[in-house]
Amino acid sequence: MELTGAEITIRCLQEEGVEYVFGYPGGAVLFIYDELFKQETVKHVLVRHEQAAVHAADGYARSTDKVGVALVTSGPGVTNAVTGIATAYMDSIPMVVISGQVPTSFIGEDAFQEVDAVGITRPCVKHNFLVKDVKDLASTLKKAFYLAKSGRPGPVLVDIPKDVSNTKTAFEYPSTVNIRSYHPQVAGDANLIKQAAQMLLEAKRPMVYAGGGVILSDAAKQLTDLVRLIDAPCTNTLMGLGGYPASDKQFVGMLGMHGTYEANMGMQNCDVLLAVGARFDDRVIGNVAHFNSVPRKIIHLDIDPASISKRVKVDVPLVGDVANVLGELIKVLKSSKQKPDAAAHKDWWKQIDEWRGANSLVYKNSSELIKPQFVIETLHKITRGDAYVASDVGQHQMWAAQYYKFDQPRRWINSGGLGTMGFGLPAAMGVQLAHPDATVACVTGEGSIQMNIQELSTCKQFNLPIKIIALNNRYLGMVRQWQEFFHGNRYSQSYMDALPDFVKVAEAYGHVGILVEKPSDVEGALQEAFARKDELVFLDFRTDSTENVYPMVPGGRGLSEVILAEDL
Amino acid sequence: MRHIISLLMANEAGALSRVSGLFSARGYNIESLTVAPTEDATLSRMTIVTSGSDEVIEQINKQLNKLVDVVSVMDLSDGDHIERELMLVKVRAEGADREELKRMSDIFRGRVIDVSDKTYTIELTGAGSKLDSFLQAIDRKLILETVRTGASGIGRGERILKI
Ligand SMILES: Cc1ncc(C[n+]2csc(CCOP(=O)(O)OP(=O)(O)O)c2C)c(N)n1
């Protein structure tokens, strides 16, 4: 039977088992929307801005192991989506974005709502396609899903001209994909795995540093087993939180610019470092030369060969899928007669505990001013550490990362690589749709929330009972902090003036709003909010406006050159 | 150090811009880049001349391999290889210069491929340095126009770049 391109598009989504498409209609995708209308398997979530469609698809993907799907129209639809695509790209999130394009015969003529979607998105997608012939549509969509999910995941854009979606051809969904130039390496090299195992067993001061790759590869269990087996302290990156249980005694917290003292000191002073699904980026290891100034052996496991030896030279490169290679590594370690060096490890743990003693996350609570850290700690308590927490970008993000102790993977949803303000709320929508019965919180700031606040409307339409935890400090706090530290207290454009009454805003959209001004009301307000299981509640916490995030390794400095709260 | 990288990639619209975009986005040098279809019409072969530290070259190779359209990559400078570039030079050729230019062209194994009353167009192939030498050997004032393809390269003997 012959189907139109639009019918084929929907059929492909059905074949891929797509549950939700996040999107916004327009001229170039009208035929596709028409087909969406005629069926019920693929549900469409109408957002209020295309950026939010992509973030929602992203949140959906991060909190599951599925591919997120967004659908946007040509021109402004695509350009609005770009921030979302770049966000997903930086964090390697599997996603397919379908964009409409002007009819093929108009391409290149500056037609109404024409942009070069493939050109604009090229640097921020894993791959993209312009489908010029409807005969190629099904196989292209198949490839798109395969590319998005396999290897190092990432967003893939498929640009479909309007005439292609309205032209008929025979439909057959390919059962397999073969891209001759694309063969991601899944299994690791057996010899290198042996070398790595030996190195880990001989380590006197081992350290495991695990990133988002652990989450993406669903390797939390393997990571935990391995860390216990080799008796090493384990740190997670901002992207890796939940990959190792935060409540475990071998966990030393997040590392990096706002990492714990023990994590950063451990990184700097270990003799064997196992990096897993992480990429030694600048926010994580600070100054490269400083990091390299001490000798240590590095084993680096990543699915992307280009991540290995990009910023830091490694001794044992392990290219492969994290879960797979960790599994092999565990086997080799278990079959070895050699055991970790207990005596040396005892000294190492003693040293770690000393660093822990610096208590780098301690803060002074107050009975007058709401401390943001206290809100997050209370959030953790009220939700019993079992919520999905989507975050925006800024100080609140760091506090959420530091004080909400994630014990499970895929619970912490944040824009780590691109640092996109406006990510939190739409991402939380994707999470809530994926997990309708779960508790979903969105930790945000009064700056970030205003970047996609229109999505309160989407939340109403789709009954998404997200709890918005706004740490409202009346500042673009992270900017203010940098200005305080590095720009002589000149708070250039970082004060948030003329703020709306968020309670009224929430109410105007049909939700519940609660203003919290006193520390003694924090717990009660959170309790009330989470008791409202079926309602979205916007909690406007008026927090201490001058609180800073500590510890802090200033940009360009080394991991041990850290500013602690008590230094000031 | 200077490296000459050969790659095979799918002969798809936009494939070239993925490669050139990669170089500009990551700040890698491109000294020259040539591309044309191969005997297999679905594939194009590209030769890129670049320079950088060993670490940068390693990243270039890995990043190129990561492009979905790229089928295989070889750093020709890792082993024995041959490098050739084609240059066309149009020169003012009048009076005594005519004889001299012809003589120089012969010395460099060039060929005069277009002749007018006042000009010659000389075709030369060779390694880039040979083409440079030719341009230095003739009177600069006589050069009207030059066009060069950039280097193409191939491995020697059994060093073969294929799928
Ligand atoms: C889209 C975007 N624009 C600008 C920035 C730069 N930036 C990083 S944090 C920050 C302040 C965020 O303020 P707010 O959301 O109120 O959170 P706070 O830091 O106060 O917790 C800004 C402006 C960004 N990350 N994203």
Side-chain angles (χ1 to χ4, degrees), chain A residues 158-220:
Chain A
V158 182
D159 199 30
I160 308 179
K162 188 166 185 179
D163 56 320
V164 170
S165 65
N166 194 32
T167 307
K168 284 192 164 183
T169 192
F171 173 67
E172 194 195 338
Y173 199 58
S175 54
T176 55
V177 200
N178 180 21
I179 305 173
R180 65 179 164 182
S181 51
Y182 178 78
H183 308 282
Q185 188 174 335
V186 175
D189 179 296
N191 273 327
L192 290 173
I193 291 176
K194 275 202 199 101
Q195 265 184 47
Q198 195 53 34
M199 212 176 251
L200 289 168
L201 286 170
E202 278 163 20
K204 304 219 175 306
R205 301 186 306 281
M207 177 88 186
V208 176
Y209 142 60
V214 172
I215 314 281
L216 291 165
S217 164
D218 284 316

Side-chain angles (χ1 to χ4, degrees), chain A residues 392-397 399 418-422 444-449 451 471 473 475-479 496:
Chain A
D392 262 306
V393 170
Q395 291 182 314
H396 59 272
Q397 174 189 26
W399 287 316
L418 199 66
T420 308
M421 288 171 70
T444 185
E446 78 293 344
S448 292
I449 192 67
M451 285 217 178
L471 302 181
N473 54 6
Y475 274 107
L476 299 174
M478 190 55 97
V479 174
M496 279 264 107

Side-chain angles (χ1 to χ4, degrees), chain A residues 338-355:
Chain A
Q338 199 173 335
K339 294 290 160 242
D341 183 341
H345 285 207
K346 200 165 159 233
D347 290 346
W348 178 227
W349 277 110
K350 199 169 143 241
Q351 173 67 73
I352 300 276
D353 285 336
E354 245 165 63
W355 288 325

